[in-house]
Amino acid sequence: MQDTYDFAAVEAAAQRFWNDSRAFEVTEDPSRPKYYCLSMLPYPSGALHMGHVRNYTIGDAISRHRRMLGYNVLQPMAWDAFGLPAENAAIKNNTAPAKWTYANIEHMRGQLKALGYAIDWSREFATCRPDYYVHEQRMFVRLYKKGLVYRKHALVNWDPVDQTVLANEQVIDGRGWRSGAIVEKREIPQWFLRITAYADELLRELDRLPGWPESVKTMQRNWIGRSEGLEIEFAIENEAPVTVFTTRPDTLFGATFVTIAPEHPLAQKAAAADPRIRAFVEECRRGGVAEAELETQEKKGIETGFHAIHPLTGERLPVWIGNFVLMGYGTGAVMGVPAHDERDWEFATKYDLLIRMVIVSDAVRDAIAELGREVATHADPMAAALGESQPLDVLEAPGALALLEEFERRIVTEGAFTDYGTLVNSGEFDGLDYRGAFDAIAARLEREGKGRRRVNYRLRDWGVSRQRYWGCPIPIIYCARCGVVPVPEEQLPVVLPEDVRFMGVQSPLKADPEWRKCTCPQCGGAAERETDTFDTFMESSWYYARYTSPGAADMVDARANYWLPVDQYIGGIEHAILHLLYFRFYHKLLRDAGLVNCDEPATNLLCQGMVVAETFYRENADGAIDWINPAEVEIERDERARVIGARLKADGRPVSIGPTEKMSKSKNNGVDPQVMVDKYGADTVRLFSLFAAPPEQSLEWNEAGVEGMARFLRRLWREVQQHVGSRESGTVSGERSAVSGESSTAPGSQPSALSPQQKSLRRQIHETIVKVSDDYARRYAFNTAIAALMELFNATARFDDTSATGCALRQEAFEAIVLLLAPITPHICHALWRALGHDDPVHAHPWPQADAAALRKDTVTLAVQVNGKLRGTVEVAADAPREQVEKCALALPEAARYTAVGTVKKVVIVPGKIVNIVVG
RNA sequence: GCCGGUGUGGCGGAAUUGGUAGACGCGACGGACUCAAAAUCCGUUUCUGGCAACAGAGUGUGGGUUCGAUUCCCUCCACCGGCACCA
């Protein structure tokens, strides 16, 4: 055993042991319970960042804990290797995306291995390899044949200068990131997966995922956005009718205009006839397609000159074009009900359109009903007494009209009334509530053939086409004679050429006149391949399944049903909607293809928070901001330890302190995990990652905190070493503890023989086992588990009993600490466990069990409150009767002082917790 | 704009089912060791008043429920994540 803690040697030795013994390679074993612990796979961006370290450290702690509990644990790793950054790097450095990506993978694999994760590396793969994506192409072809794939036109961001499609991320303030040109919307043909066919199941199954965070389920529910409403047809004078969808048919009589999308055929027609309208439609093309951009832009419109006929009143309503109506959503047209819709109200107010109230609030209805009752009492006392007055048939009642007019005036001047209420100004439907009006209006429109009930989803089909090179080729062939032909399965994969030269912004696939040339599988004539590639969400939607079946001829084989579903999935909250919805959708596709037999891919989900750090900056003379890395800065404090400033170490001059933000290149506040591992060791980095915050919260990286963790591990090493040294020197005989389960002469076997101090330490050991076990298994609260282990360690270090029993207790305490800490800091625990005299490796040792006898308490401490305010504590026997507890509490001098001045009204006793004396 | 989340000492955080607010760590301060420094060890550390005993205040804001609220309900504010082509 070494005197001082040499983390580099300890970590290298442990990693060599795990590697040589293939400790974490697993196979299916029906005799043991399985546990599939999955962390989201990384994009190989070049270097590991702290977000990865956090994610994988959480997953590793969970995996190693489960392993010690006896589970057959699968923890795999792969590379989400297709994506935009590789193309950007290719343009910048003039290297092929493949070469860049593979080099990054090599480097990052080494970084992951240095962190000591218990990963089964034999299952590793990169998603950019043909033997991975061939399965994705085959699935696409099968889905095409099933009718779950289709092609349609959809809007993209178009950079008119670079002549290329831009990702939303590449549109900054409405301009292309490279060219600076104002981005336009452009419609191009694209491939879609019919996720909406699964919308209902994706929604319903959320209720059967108790292990997923409520917040994620709520976000997914809202994203799917199931709504029941009516499709209503508005006839247009001299033109084809326009169909709108509404969830508020009860407000139909309040419709005073119709708004259509700029891309709507009717809008196109209007634009052709009127240059002013053409200019407006043209203006609507400016800017990108991101929803956040569309929803925050100023609502604008123009009148088309067309008129719609209200389906029930026959009234002529003006047809407007609105920039907030989107062709891709619903029918591309909405009815304008300004009195009862926020957005329509704004639009009507801006363009001076009619606002007609057709719903009144319950408060107004009740007030009018009250007036009506008064009138009725005179006219027909009997009916009034029976409550038969029809509230809205009594508008003649004095004051009723005034109430209505006042309500309408408030709507017109202050804003729409969007709650449910009672119908007015709606002909035969007056007096009905929302539900009644919905049904009655639906019935009438259906009878007259002017509308139908419809369930609508906010969820749109998944557009999978990308006009990029570095992705999986879409296996489709276009033939002049046969049209669209999927590539036959036996001709797959369609291989993406990796040895390409990147010139400018265009995809090498599209630039190469040869690659696309092929023969039509149907007629044998000359044809062309699709040059678009898949959205990279495709690869990350089924990788979890591939891990279970390395080398399988199909996507997966029978092994998938041993491992799936994933027992614990861990990843960033930023994936709450898109990735996790596609992941669930794809699993259902696998199930319906007969490849797996469960309904959901993951039973438990943990979303970890971001890793953040302080930012520091200096403003240049020209107003530009230089962001300075926290590692280069020194903090200044006042006498109360408050931060008052910061200086650059290099020049000693002050820098400004910015907000604490997510680690990023742009704010230069990233901390390189590699630097931390080199300086402090993997165990210290892992320990800090789990200690500084609970997994779901954001984690603030702070190097002083890291040093604290290193200090703790050094102390642990030293104390265990001293304990082992004193034991070996013969001061005491080498006893084994109850914790490791290997002894019959443990202190636990004669509890009555223990001194109060010994009893107290032994209780703390076993209380810690209970608490830490719960923190691991139920709460994933590694921060509090570590805190409890630190407390136990501090108590053990202070415990200076040199008797044989004392030494045995120390052994018991250190064994507990090492076992309980092993999933978090596996390297040091691997070495210390050996030092404590064990031959089996700690990662394979059973998780410790608490001894119930050690937990037993004779007395309890109760807090004594007077009127809810703490005044002292009393110590009573654990089984003391209520009367005695009350007597002790009232006898407490601090309490008696208050009870003396007033009378005791009540004494609340919560057994084992508090006594609250209520004094009046 | 819409959806979801968060807010507690100087800082990160704890308080698990409505029951002693501030565990654990960092920082700061005082002390020991040292020629000195680093490292290490011991102690103090929510704020206000007080020599002290002690008293009062306190979990983003304002209100409510309760014997008792960081925890439950309502209002407002600030910040963070997502918004379908970043991954």
Side-chain angles (χ1 to χ4, degrees), chain A residues 259-279:
Chain A
T259 316
I260 59 176
E263 298 85 12
H264 196 281
L266 193 58
Q268 299 296 322
K269 202 155 202 170
D274 183 337
R276 270 181 47 251
I277 298 177
R278 196 177 318 134

PDB file of all heavy atoms in Angstrom, chain A residues 259-279:
ATOM      1  N   THR A 259     -59.130  34.295 -42.358  1.00  0.00           N
ATOM      2  CA  THR A 259     -57.735  34.594 -42.680  1.00  0.00           C
ATOM      3  C   THR A 259     -57.087  33.357 -43.302  1.00  0.00           C
ATOM      4  O   THR A 259     -57.251  32.246 -42.797  1.00  0.00           O
ATOM      5  CB  THR A 259     -56.955  34.981 -41.415  1.00  0.00           C
ATOM      6  OG1 THR A 259     -57.749  35.862 -40.641  1.00  0.00           O
ATOM      7  CG2 THR A 259     -55.655  35.672 -41.781  1.00  0.00           C
ATOM      8  N   ILE A 260     -56.344  33.572 -44.375  1.00  0.00           N
ATOM      9  CA  ILE A 260     -55.674  32.460 -45.042  1.00  0.00           C
ATOM     10  C   ILE A 260     -54.167  32.703 -45.064  1.00  0.00           C
ATOM     11  O   ILE A 260     -53.703  33.832 -44.908  1.00  0.00           O
ATOM     12  CB  ILE A 260     -56.213  32.255 -46.482  1.00  0.00           C
ATOM     13  CG1 ILE A 260     -56.003  33.524 -47.318  1.00  0.00           C
ATOM     14  CG2 ILE A 260     -57.673  31.843 -46.462  1.00  0.00           C
ATOM     15  CD1 ILE A 260     -56.427  33.379 -48.770  1.00  0.00           C
ATOM     16  N   ALA A 261     -53.404  31.610 -45.250  1.00  0.00           N
ATOM     17  CA  ALA A 261     -51.945  31.693 -45.298  1.00  0.00           C
ATOM     18  C   ALA A 261     -51.502  32.329 -46.610  1.00  0.00           C
ATOM     19  O   ALA A 261     -52.205  32.232 -47.606  1.00  0.00           O
ATOM     20  CB  ALA A 261     -51.351  30.294 -45.173  1.00  0.00           C
ATOM     21  N   PRO A 262     -50.342  32.964 -46.618  1.00  0.00           N
ATOM     22  CA  PRO A 262     -49.837  33.603 -47.848  1.00  0.00           C
ATOM     23  C   PRO A 262     -49.618  32.589 -48.973  1.00  0.00           C
ATOM     24  O   PRO A 262     -49.655  32.957 -50.143  1.00  0.00           O
ATOM     25  CB  PRO A 262     -48.503  34.218 -47.422  1.00  0.00           C
ATOM     26  CG  PRO A 262     -48.557  34.312 -45.941  1.00  0.00           C
ATOM     27  CD  PRO A 262     -49.447  33.226 -45.474  1.00  0.00           C
ATOM     28  N   GLU A 263     -49.394  31.314 -48.581  1.00  0.00           N
ATOM     29  CA  GLU A 263     -49.159  30.288 -49.602  1.00  0.00           C
ATOM     30  C   GLU A 263     -50.455  29.636 -50.058  1.00  0.00           C
ATOM     31  O   GLU A 263     -50.443  28.738 -50.904  1.00  0.00           O
ATOM     32  CB  GLU A 263     -48.215  29.201 -49.060  1.00  0.00           C
ATOM     33  CG  GLU A 263     -46.842  29.692 -48.675  1.00  0.00           C
ATOM     34  CD  GLU A 263     -46.787  30.249 -47.249  1.00  0.00           C
ATOM     35  OE1 GLU A 263     -47.764  30.042 -46.494  1.00  0.00           O
ATOM     36  OE2 GLU A 263     -45.781  30.906 -46.895  1.00  0.00           O
ATOM     37  N   HIS A 264     -51.580  30.021 -49.486  1.00  0.00           N
ATOM     38  CA  HIS A 264     -52.873  29.421 -49.823  1.00  0.00           C
ATOM     39  C   HIS A 264     -53.199  29.720 -51.298  1.00  0.00           C
ATOM     40  O   HIS A 264     -52.920  30.817 -51.784  1.00  0.00           O
ATOM     41  CB  HIS A 264     -53.958  30.020 -48.917  1.00  0.00           C
ATOM     42  CG  HIS A 264     -55.229  29.227 -48.901  1.00  0.00           C
ATOM     43  ND1 HIS A 264     -56.150  29.304 -49.904  1.00  0.00           N
ATOM     44  CD2 HIS A 264     -55.717  28.342 -47.994  1.00  0.00           C
ATOM     45  CE1 HIS A 264     -57.172  28.494 -49.622  1.00  0.00           C
ATOM     46  NE2 HIS A 264     -56.929  27.899 -48.473  1.00  0.00           N
ATOM     47  N   PRO A 265     -53.779  28.746 -52.029  1.00  0.00           N
ATOM     48  CA  PRO A 265     -54.094  28.965 -53.452  1.00  0.00           C
ATOM     49  C   PRO A 265     -54.911  30.237 -53.695  1.00  0.00           C
ATOM     50  O   PRO A 265     -54.674  30.958 -54.673  1.00  0.00           O
ATOM     51  CB  PRO A 265     -54.905  27.716 -53.822  1.00  0.00           C
ATOM     52  CG  PRO A 265     -54.527  26.680 -52.829  1.00  0.00           C
ATOM     53  CD  PRO A 265     -54.108  27.382 -51.583  1.00  0.00           C
ATOM     54  N   LEU A 266     -55.825  30.516 -52.770  1.00  0.00           N
ATOM     55  CA  LEU A 266     -56.656  31.709 -52.932  1.00  0.00           C
ATOM     56  C   LEU A 266     -55.821  32.987 -52.789  1.00  0.00           C
ATOM     57  O   LEU A 266     -56.069  33.986 -53.485  1.00  0.00           O
ATOM     58  CB  LEU A 266     -57.791  31.690 -51.904  1.00  0.00           C
ATOM     59  CG  LEU A 266     -58.930  32.676 -52.096  1.00  0.00           C
ATOM     60  CD1 LEU A 266     -59.615  32.482 -53.457  1.00  0.00           C
ATOM     61  CD2 LEU A 266     -59.955  32.538 -50.961  1.00  0.00           C
ATOM     62  N   ALA A 267     -54.832  32.915 -51.893  1.00  0.00           N
ATOM     63  CA  ALA A 267     -53.938  34.058 -51.722  1.00  0.00           C
ATOM     64  C   ALA A 267     -53.098  34.257 -52.979  1.00  0.00           C
ATOM     65  O   ALA A 267     -52.853  35.392 -53.416  1.00  0.00           O
ATOM     66  CB  ALA A 267     -53.030  33.838 -50.504  1.00  0.00           C
ATOM     67  N   GLN A 268     -52.659  33.154 -53.556  1.00  0.00           N
ATOM     68  CA  GLN A 268     -51.873  33.222 -54.785  1.00  0.00           C
ATOM     69  C   GLN A 268     -52.689  33.874 -55.902  1.00  0.00           C
ATOM     70  O   GLN A 268     -52.200  34.697 -56.673  1.00  0.00           O
ATOM     71  CB  GLN A 268     -51.434  31.812 -55.207  1.00  0.00           C
ATOM     72  CG  GLN A 268     -50.555  31.104 -54.191  1.00  0.00           C
ATOM     73  CD  GLN A 268     -49.215  31.793 -53.969  1.00  0.00           C
ATOM     74  OE1 GLN A 268     -48.608  32.294 -54.898  1.00  0.00           O
ATOM     75  NE2 GLN A 268     -48.777  31.861 -52.712  1.00  0.00           N
ATOM     76  N   LYS A 269     -53.960  33.512 -55.934  1.00  0.00           N
ATOM     77  CA  LYS A 269     -54.862  34.062 -56.944  1.00  0.00           C
ATOM     78  C   LYS A 269     -55.031  35.575 -56.763  1.00  0.00           C
ATOM     79  O   LYS A 269     -54.978  36.345 -57.717  1.00  0.00           O
ATOM     80  CB  LYS A 269     -56.220  33.368 -56.813  1.00  0.00           C
ATOM     81  CG  LYS A 269     -57.059  33.423 -58.063  1.00  0.00           C
ATOM     82  CD  LYS A 269     -58.011  32.243 -58.049  1.00  0.00           C
ATOM     83  CE  LYS A 269     -58.484  31.944 -59.468  1.00  0.00           C
ATOM     84  NZ  LYS A 269     -59.218  30.666 -59.537  1.00  0.00           N
ATOM     85  N   ALA A 270     -55.207  35.956 -55.495  1.00  0.00           N
ATOM     86  CA  ALA A 270     -55.365  37.379 -55.192  1.00  0.00           C
ATOM     87  C   ALA A 270     -54.099  38.146 -55.543  1.00  0.00           C
ATOM     88  O   ALA A 270     -54.151  39.264 -56.070  1.00  0.00           O
ATOM     89  CB  ALA A 270     -55.707  37.555 -53.711  1.00  0.00           C
ATOM     90  N   ALA A 271     -52.956  37.511 -55.261  1.00  0.00           N
ATOM     91  CA  ALA A 271     -51.674  38.161 -55.534  1.00  0.00           C
ATOM     92  C   ALA A 271     -51.476  38.370 -57.032  1.00  0.00           C
ATOM     93  O   ALA A 271     -50.927  39.389 -57.474  1.00  0.00           O
ATOM     94  CB  ALA A 271     -50.525  37.326 -54.960  1.00  0.00           C
ATOM     95  N   ALA A 272     -51.939  37.422 -57.810  1.00  0.00           N
ATOM     96  CA  ALA A 272     -51.774  37.518 -59.260  1.00  0.00           C
ATOM     97  C   ALA A 272     -52.538  38.714 -59.821  1.00  0.00           C
ATOM     98  O   ALA A 272     -52.144  39.311 -60.827  1.00  0.00           O
ATOM     99  CB  ALA A 272     -52.259  36.220 -59.912  1.00  0.00           C
ATOM    100  N   ALA A 273     -53.609  39.068 -59.125  1.00  0.00           N
ATOM    101  CA  ALA A 273     -54.467  40.119 -59.647  1.00  0.00           C
ATOM    102  C   ALA A 273     -54.116  41.505 -59.116  1.00  0.00           C
ATOM    103  O   ALA A 273     -54.506  42.516 -59.702  1.00  0.00           O
ATOM    104  CB  ALA A 273     -55.927  39.797 -59.298  1.00  0.00           C
ATOM    105  N   ASP A 274     -53.375  41.561 -58.021  1.00  0.00           N
ATOM    106  CA  ASP A 274     -53.182  42.864 -57.369  1.00  0.00           C
ATOM    107  C   ASP A 274     -51.722  43.010 -56.928  1.00  0.00           C
ATOM    108  O   ASP A 274     -51.240  42.241 -56.093  1.00  0.00           O
ATOM    109  CB  ASP A 274     -54.120  42.943 -56.149  1.00  0.00           C
ATOM    110  CG  ASP A 274     -54.036  44.290 -55.446  1.00  0.00           C
ATOM    111  OD1 ASP A 274     -52.996  44.985 -55.585  1.00  0.00           O
ATOM    112  OD2 ASP A 274     -54.996  44.636 -54.745  1.00  0.00           O
ATOM    113  N   PRO A 275     -50.993  43.977 -57.458  1.00  0.00           N
ATOM    114  CA  PRO A 275     -49.564  44.139 -57.114  1.00  0.00           C
ATOM    115  C   PRO A 275     -49.348  44.399 -55.629  1.00  0.00           C
ATOM    116  O   PRO A 275     -48.323  43.989 -55.071  1.00  0.00           O
ATOM    117  CB  PRO A 275     -49.117  45.325 -57.962  1.00  0.00           C
ATOM    118  CG  PRO A 275     -50.339  45.941 -58.537  1.00  0.00           C
ATOM    119  CD  PRO A 275     -51.447  44.942 -58.469  1.00  0.00           C
ATOM    120  N   ARG A 276     -50.301  45.050 -54.972  1.00  0.00           N
ATOM    121  CA  ARG A 276     -50.139  45.331 -53.536  1.00  0.00           C
ATOM    122  C   ARG A 276     -50.157  44.018 -52.752  1.00  0.00           C
ATOM    123  O   ARG A 276     -49.377  43.806 -51.837  1.00  0.00           O
ATOM    124  CB  ARG A 276     -51.234  46.264 -53.038  1.00  0.00           C
ATOM    125  CG  ARG A 276     -50.839  47.745 -53.159  1.00  0.00           C
ATOM    126  CD  ARG A 276     -51.939  48.670 -52.621  1.00  0.00           C
ATOM    127  NE  ARG A 276     -52.480  48.275 -51.332  1.00  0.00           N
ATOM    128  CZ  ARG A 276     -53.712  47.778 -51.152  1.00  0.00           C
ATOM    129  NH1 ARG A 276     -54.521  47.619 -52.180  1.00  0.00           N
ATOM    130  NH2 ARG A 276     -54.121  47.451 -49.951  1.00  0.00           N
ATOM    131  N   ILE A 277     -51.082  43.160 -53.136  1.00  0.00           N
ATOM    132  CA  ILE A 277     -51.176  41.849 -52.475  1.00  0.00           C
ATOM    133  C   ILE A 277     -49.938  41.018 -52.802  1.00  0.00           C
ATOM    134  O   ILE A 277     -49.380  40.337 -51.942  1.00  0.00           O
ATOM    135  CB  ILE A 277     -52.478  41.120 -52.895  1.00  0.00           C
ATOM    136  CG1 ILE A 277     -53.685  41.948 -52.441  1.00  0.00           C
ATOM    137  CG2 ILE A 277     -52.525  39.717 -52.305  1.00  0.00           C
ATOM    138  CD1 ILE A 277     -55.027  41.379 -52.859  1.00  0.00           C
ATOM    139  N   ARG A 278     -49.494  41.128 -54.068  1.00  0.00           N
ATOM    140  CA  ARG A 278     -48.296  40.384 -54.468  1.00  0.00           C
ATOM    141  C   ARG A 278     -47.100  40.806 -53.611  1.00  0.00           C
ATOM    142  O   ARG A 278     -46.322  39.978 -53.141  1.00  0.00           O
ATOM    143  CB  ARG A 278     -47.999  40.631 -55.953  1.00  0.00           C
ATOM    144  CG  ARG A 278     -47.017  39.618 -56.542  1.00  0.00           C
ATOM    145  CD  ARG A 278     -46.815  39.849 -58.037  1.00  0.00           C
ATOM    146  NE  ARG A 278     -48.077  40.149 -58.706  1.00  0.00           N
ATOM    147  CZ  ARG A 278     -48.256  41.140 -59.587  1.00  0.00           C
ATOM    148  NH1 ARG A 278     -47.249  41.924 -59.916  1.00  0.00           N
ATOM    149  NH2 ARG A 278     -49.431  41.343 -60.147  1.00  0.00           N
ATOM    150  N   ALA A 279     -46.986  42.096 -53.383  1.00  0.00           N
ATOM    151  CA  ALA A 279     -45.878  42.612 -52.576  1.00  0.00           C
ATOM    152  C   ALA A 279     -45.957  42.073 -51.140  1.00  0.00           C
ATOM    153  O   ALA A 279     -44.941  41.711 -50.542  1.00  0.00           O
ATOM    154  CB  ALA A 279     -45.906  44.134 -52.567  1.00  0.00           C
TER     155      ALA A 279
END
